[in-house]
Amino acid sequence: MSIDRRTFLSFLAAGVATPYVVTFTSGDAQAGLVSADAPLNQDSHRVFSLSVSSGDPTPTGVVLWTRVDPSAWRAGQALIVQVARDPEFIQLEFESIVESQNIRPERDYCVSIDVDGYLQPNLRYYYRFVYDNTVSRTGRCRTAPPFGAELDHLKLALLTCQDYTNGYYGALAQIAQDDSIDFVLHLGDFIYETAGDPRFQSLPFEDRLIVLPSDGLVALDLDDYRHLYKTYRSDPFLQQAMEQHTFIITRDDHETANDAYWDYERDTLGAPDHPFTLDAAYGNDPARLNQLMLDSQQAWLEYVPARVEVDWSSSDPHRFLKYYRRVQLGNLVDLFMLDGRSYRTAHPCGEGDFFERYVPYGCSNWQSDQQSLLGADQRDWLLNGVIGSTARWKLLGNQTYMGSLGIQLSNGKMPINVDAWDGFDYERNLINNEIAANQVENFVVVTGDLHTYMASHIKQDYDNRSIFNFNNFIGVEFMTPSVTSAGLFDMIGASTPQGEQQLLAQAVTNTAVRLTNPHIRYFNTTQNGYSTIEFSNKQCDWKAYIVDKNVNDGEQAVKLIRHYRKYTTFPWLVTQAALIY
């Protein structure tokens, strides 16, 4: 099959916009840039030790990613990228060269290539890289449906919190094998900055231990963050999932530091548990914390395929990287991927653990109008986008629980965790009121962070418990569980005073949570896995799965634990038949 002559321009290679012009006249890969006279070497791991991946679909492209192993790097050696309709690469759709100067140690030999503008909408493609006559493993990617196009069905897998040290990635193996998934949303904590935090990393798996270049327990610089990404991306099940599906990824706190925020008084990163803040040897130095944020951002940019705004010349983290973005998927789903860390104010009740960030007894500042999780610019962008959207479903990719989650006291309900949206009640109410006032229909939030399965209603007024006040129900929220990370009680229980741990354990059971928070339909903080969400014109379906993190087996059993449906014509979540485990 012959393909017309083409010209390819304006690539994003290793984060630098650089023009390339490449032409070819045949659909046969061996007649293009790859020579038919020299059979390709198949030892892909030698050159592409972290394999390949794709991200951020548009109707005419995706971002393709790989890394040339430093041991295989050769000065002057170019990288070839190919995209085809078939896994044999006979029907080439796209082929080009990434010049050698864009494969460099300054970007840790990582390359991201944006092929937006060169592919066809709503199709699955195959792609690969060739370097030094060695071919990478073949990846699959998918382009988005055309903007506004009629779409009958869309299925997304939901992931979060994949602490490498705390278990195995059987859940990712299951996702890799599921061809019904259109795209994968990763809602943050792709890595954990810690290599052994005793508060939430018990390190039970000797083969999952991590030793950072700095030899510390927490990432201190760019080399440490890069080492973490390389370790995580070396996992075969994570590689399989990223080879088989196009990911849409946002960041949460552990890509930088636990419970991170922006310290506006000092104009630097707030990292309440990091050594730079706590260790007198580092002096809580604002410049050092600012650089830590920049280092974490750079490592994320190097190792995650994402179409984001970057200013490599800036030393201001807010200018260096803006990663909140919108992904439009036909007329069915309008996805808004949020940044809940870069612009948020400090925790409302202090930076200590118990009675401050967690279970803030006696504190009321979480309702202050000075608290912001998104920042004004991002909040306006979100509201304008959601209110103006004509898609059937408006979907928020959100890191921390947006609903209300608290314990009932004699004088009212006290939030459990003000690192989530409960610490930013004024801004949450502002958003919910705008959603209600503008009669936004089919509003759905997907969430990670809390290492818990949750299905809940979003209400304009959570104190109004009437199930028949239909106007008070403005949407639904689904929290996907952690892939491996410790459950909610393990996560905050270690910071709880010894005498109060039993009280906290009782407070976070399914029965206790639902009694105090009746808008929550399901709550399970004891198991791990993943979930999926499927959209059609009349309904969306959330399915939650358990996959045992203690088993390092890609063929292990997966169990459907809950299935909830939200109809467009009905305000409540409806339980569907499921295997209850």
Side-chain angles (χ1 to χ4, degrees):
M1 172 180 170
S2 178
I3 296 180
D4 293 338
R5 187 175 182 86
R6 305 179 184 189
T7 302
F8 301 105
L9 300 169
S10 302
F11 275 70
L12 184 67
V16 181
T18 309
Y20 299 99
V21 178
V22 178
T23 61
F24 62 99
T25 57
S26 171
D28 185 346
Q30 299 301 315
L33 296 174
V34 179
S35 172
D37 298 329
L40 294 173
N41 297 323
Q42 300 298 317
D43 57 337
S44 62
H45 189 268
R46 178 184 65 84
V47 177
F48 304 101
S49 56
L50 301 183
S51 196
V52 300
S53 60
S54 66
D56 280 14
T58 68
T60 59
V62 293
V63 177
L64 302 178
W65 178 94
T66 195
R67 179 178 185 263
V68 174
D69 194 278
S71 65
W73 180 81
R74 302 288 182 270
Q77 180 69 55
L79 175 73
I80 297 172
V81 57
Q82 296 178 317
V83 183
R85 297 282 186 103
D86 62 303
E88 291 76 31
F89 290 84
I90 301 302
Q91 299 179 8
L92 270 183
E93 189 79 9
F94 176 89
E95 185 179 47
S96 188
I97 293 176
V98 178
E99 299 292 348
S100 60
Q101 63 265 29
N102 291 297
I103 311 164
R104 44 194 172 135
E106 296 93 328
R107 300 289 179 263
D108 209 22
Y109 306 95
C110 297
V111 180
S112 291
I113 303 170
D114 190 347
V115 298
D116 187 28
Y118 303 108
L119 304 181
Q120 300 299 310
N122 204 26
L123 289 177
R124 178 169 283 167
Y125 288 96
Y126 299 86
Y127 65 95
R128 66 184 183 182
F129 295 88
V130 179
Y131 186 84
D132 194 22
N133 207 51
T134 301
V135 65
S136 71
R137 292 212 291 266
T138 297
R140 296 190 313 178
C141 61
R142 192 181 190 95
T143 53
F147 301 133
E150 292 288 333
L151 196 66
D152 295 328
H153 179 266
L154 185 76
K155 181 176 179 179
L156 306 174
L158 306 175
L159 292 172
T160 192
C161 301
Q162 53 190 38
D163 184 350
Y164 181 91
T165 70
N166 211 56
Y168 300 108
Y169 289 165
L172 301 180
Q174 296 292 333
I175 286 176
Q177 296 165 21
D178 189 347
D179 285 344
S180 68
I181 293 170
D182 292 304
F183 303 105
V184 176
L185 301 192
H186 199 296
L187 298 167
D189 293 344
F190 188 94
I191 64 161
Y192 276 66
E193 83 286 9
T194 54
D197 189 325
R199 295 175 309 163
F200 51 84
Q201 290 176 308
S202 55
L203 305 180
F205 307 98
E206 291 188 5
D207 59 335
R208 306 289 276 189
L209 298 180
I210 298 174
V211 178
L212 295 172
S214 67
D215 203 29
L217 294 181
V218 183
L220 300 180
D221 55 27
L222 180 58
D223 285 344
D224 282 347
Y225 286 115
R226 284 171 168 171
H227 181 77
L228 288 164
Y229 281 101
K230 283 181 280 194
T231 301
Y232 279 60
R233 295 207 61 157
S234 70
D235 183 274
F237 296 149
L238 177 57
Q239 289 184 5
Q240 289 170 20
M242 300 194 80
E243 288 165 2
Q244 296 303 308
H245 299 292
T246 295
F247 276 57
I248 305 168
I249 304 177
T250 189
R251 292 161 47 95
D252 196 15
D253 55 339
H254 288 292
E255 283 86 353
T256 302
N258 186 51
D259 288 356
Y261 60 93
W262 191 254
D263 185 341
Y264 282 93
E265 290 187 6
R266 304 199 311 153
D267 194 27
T268 192
L269 170 69
D273 302 321
H274 195 276
F276 287 173
T277 302
L278 299 176
D279 191 334
Y282 296 113
N284 195 19
D285 179 18
R288 194 185 295 269
L289 286 162
N290 190 78
Q291 187 60 49
L292 185 74
M293 180 65 166
L294 289 168
D295 288 345
S296 74
Q297 289 177 325
Q298 177 168 336
W300 187 85
L301 285 167
E302 289 170 348
Y303 281 89
V304 169
R307 185 178 291 101
V308 293
E309 295 184 23
V310 186
D311 180 357
W312 288 98
S313 67
S314 179
S315 60
D316 177 355
H318 292 165
R319 294 180 181 274
F320 179 75
L321 171 63
K322 189 184 87 171
Y323 66 87
Y324 64 85
R325 59 203 188 276
R326 182 176 184 175
V327 182
Q328 295 173 277
L329 301 170
N331 70 338
L332 191 59
V333 176
D334 214 345
L335 169 63
F336 299 84
M337 292 294 276
L338 300 184
D339 175 357
R341 290 290 169 186
S342 298
Y343 313 102
R344 65 158 62 195
T345 53
H347 295 94
C349 306
E351 301 308 330
D353 287 332
F354 200 71
F355 292 146
E356 293 190 9
R357 276 178 280 162
Y358 312 122
V359 196
Y361 184 74
C363 173
S364 61
N365 199 42
W366 53 278
Q367 298 173 309
S368 168
D369 62 1
Q370 299 303 302
Q371 290 296 112
S372 176
L373 189 141
L374 298 179
D377 289 347
Q378 183 179 190
R379 184 178 64 240
D380 290 347
W381 164 84
L382 173 63
L383 286 172
N384 290 335
V386 169
I387 292 169
S389 175
T390 59
R392 187 66 162 169
W393 299 91
K394 295 80 179 173
L395 178 64
L396 266 59
N398 167 66
Q399 292 92 337
T400 58
Y401 184 54
M402 200 168 189
S404 173
L405 175 62
I407 302 171
Q408 192 64 42
L409 302 176
S410 59
N411 60 345
K413 190 166 74 171
M414 178 185 66
I416 293 174
N417 173 23
V418 292
D419 184 63
W421 277 89
D422 271 325
F424 307 86
D425 185 63
Y426 177 85
E427 185 169 64
R428 174 174 60 190
N429 290 337
L430 186 156
I431 292 171
N432 288 353
N433 289 337
E434 288 292 321
I435 297 294
N438 288 276
Q439 299 180 325
V440 174
E441 296 180 332
N442 307 319
F443 180 60
V444 178
V445 178
V446 289
T447 297
D449 180 66
L450 207 56
H451 312 171
T452 300
Y453 300 82
M454 290 179 67
S456 62
H457 296 109
I458 299 173
K459 290 185 174 183
Q460 186 175 11
D461 179 6
Y462 286 101
D463 292 328
N464 185 335
R465 297 196 171 199
S466 171
I467 64 172
F468 298 109
N469 184 351
F470 293 168
N471 290 334
N472 195 36
F473 291 81
I474 61 173
V476 293
E477 181 170 7
F478 301 109
M479 179 180 289
T480 194
S482 68
V483 174
T484 58
S485 303
L488 172 62
F489 176 70
D490 294 326
M491 183 173 63
I492 67 176
S495 301
T496 306
Q498 193 67 35
E500 310 295 338
Q501 288 185 345
Q502 185 62 33
L503 175 64
L504 181 61
Q506 293 172 352
V508 296
T509 64
N510 185 28
T511 301
V513 165
R514 293 188 61 193
L515 182 65
T516 306
N517 307 271
H519 54 283
I520 296 177
R521 293 293 309 279
Y522 182 62
F523 182 94
N524 174 357
T525 188
T526 61
Q527 282 141 337
N528 303 84
Y530 69 100
S531 61
T532 62
I533 187 166
E534 300 178 61
F535 296 93
S536 66
N537 283 318
K538 295 183 178 180
Q539 65 202 40
C540 81
D541 288 83
W542 180 72
K543 297 178 182 178
Y545 299 93
I546 293 173
V547 182
D548 188 351
K549 70 177 183 180
N550 298 295
V551 179
N552 193 15
D553 184 356
E555 302 297 329
Q556 65 170 291
V558 57
K559 296 175 181 174
L560 175 65
I561 187 173
R562 280 296 189 277
H563 176 187
Y564 285 98
R565 175 170 292 169
K566 173 63 175 69
Y567 292 98
T568 58
T569 56
F570 198 61
W572 307 320
L573 288 169
V574 179
T575 305
Q576 304 297 296
L579 298 174
I580 308 303
Y581 175 72

